[in-house]
């Protein structure tokens, strides 16, 4: 989907989510091959399964369905009698072609509301003791994205001082003080005492179907073996699955999430595959199954949320994504060449990034608008910066 159509969808998203009748659309979307049956099933299960959650997920996923996705979607709306929304999108799309600036994203700036008598140095957002009433001064209200707030308006995060540990040898008063500090900051660290520590699932996609247009990922087996050895040493129960389709990947992750992790302290997911950009609310990127269909990182992470995996509540959930993030090239910079001893004979420098193809592999761009709180106890690590 080109950038103009993507911006149009985002601009109309609120109205589409509010008015879209998704139940009538499923057959039309399948008939026009905009989505596969598996994709429709995933959309139907989005969030709580309500109409609004399904509509929201449908609009997000529509951005990943190729350059003709929007006109085909408009035709589906007309086929199902949703002429008002179809007319809105068609008219807006025609207007955008004539005047691209008409759908340019709004340049949001923060607005500070507060008493005119307050001096600039008094415009701070600070944590106030409720037992100490303010002396007639009204706190300013800041409207706008927090990341755009001026530095003086950012909330102050109050944390107890945690000095860097110093090696003072065994025994002595300094060691006792260090232990006291450790006890005082125990709530800031995860306890990883279980043996085994937790489950580690490695999905290693090396070979892809011919129709996907994706190359064999030579050298991935070496990465897989090293990750398997490393997490064994860290006392994880490691399970490796190779060459899974997108649906099989979701099934394997779901099976892991449904296990009882009550006696364990952590969970790790490692995915080695080709990747691409993907529309998202929180976690960018997607990874391909061996059939050439992508699974978004956001969907992977959400499988392990508090509802889907309650026994991992309050425990770290780590995701390592070894895949490209898009089409952009990172040219890097020159460094001293590594020695021949550091190179593995069977390793290959072939990147995971691939041009987007028509069909199962489609062009995609990230949606940088975040409207949900970040899930707790989550770490997502990417081998490449999103977009590269």
């Amino acid at each position: 989907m080109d950038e103009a159509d993507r911006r149009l969808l985002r601009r109309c998203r609120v109205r589409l989510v509010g008015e879209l009748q998704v139940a009538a659309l499923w057959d039309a979307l399948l008939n026009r091959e905009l989505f596969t049956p598996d994709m429709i099933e995933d959309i139907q299960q989005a969030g709580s399964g309500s109409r609004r959650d399904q509509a929201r997920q449908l609009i997000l996923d529509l951005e990943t369905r190729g350059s003709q996705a929007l006109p085909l979607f408009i035709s589906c709306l007309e086929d199902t009698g949703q002429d008002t929304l179809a007319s809105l999108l068609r008219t807006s799309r025609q207007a955008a072609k004539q005047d691209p600036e008409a759908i340019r994203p709004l340049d949001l700036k923060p607005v500070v509301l507060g008493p005119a008598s307050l001096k600039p140095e008094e415009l701070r957002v600070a944590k106030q003791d409720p037992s100490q009433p303010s002396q007639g001064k009204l706190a300013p209200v800041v409207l706008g994205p927090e990341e755009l707030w001026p530095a003086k308006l950012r909330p102050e995060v109050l944390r107890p001082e945690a000095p860097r540990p110093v090696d003072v040898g065994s025994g002595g008063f300094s060691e006792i003080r260090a232990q006291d500090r450790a006890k005082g900051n125990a709530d800031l660290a995860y306890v990883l005492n279980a043996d085994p520590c937790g489950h580690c699932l490695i999905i290693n996609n090396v070979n892809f179907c011919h129709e996907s247009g994706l190359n064999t990922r030579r050298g991935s087996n070496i990465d897989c073996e090293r990750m398997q050895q490393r997490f064994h040493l860290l006392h994880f129960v490691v399970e490796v699955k190779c060459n899974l389709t997108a649906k099989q990947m979701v099934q394997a992750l779901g099976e892991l999430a449904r296990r009882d992790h009550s006696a364990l302290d952590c969970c790790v997911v490692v995915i080695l595959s080709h990747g691409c950009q993907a529309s998202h609310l929180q976690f960018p990127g997607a990874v391909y199954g061996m059939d050439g269909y992508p699974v978004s990182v956001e969907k992977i992470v959400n499988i392990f949320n508090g509802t889907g995996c309650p026994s991992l509540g309050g425990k770290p959930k780590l995701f390592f994504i070894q895949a490209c993030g898009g089409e952009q090239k990172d040219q890097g910079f020159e460094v001293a060449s590594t020695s021949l001893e550091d190179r593995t004979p069977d390793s290959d420098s072939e990147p995971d990034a691939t041009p987007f193809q028509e069909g199962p592999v489609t062009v995609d761009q990230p949606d940088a608008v975040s409207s949900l709180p970040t899930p707790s106890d989550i770490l997502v690590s990417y081998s490449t910066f999103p977009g590269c």
Side-chain angles (χ1 to χ4, degrees), residues 112-125 134-142 153:
V112 182
L113 303 180
S117 60
L118 285 183
K119 298 177 182 179
E121 58 269 18
E122 294 176 313
L123 288 175
R124 294 180 182 271
V125 180
S134 61
Q135 301 176 357
K137 289 185 178 180
L138 300 177
V141 177
V142 184
L153 293 176

Side-chain angles (χ1 to χ4, degrees), residues 106-111 142-150 153-155 368-370:
L106 299 177
D107 186 13
L108 300 178
K109 295 184 180 298
V111 177
V142 184
L143 303 180
E146 182 174 340
E147 61 270 16
L148 297 179
W149 291 8
L153 293 176
R154 293 184 182 276
V369 179
S370 178

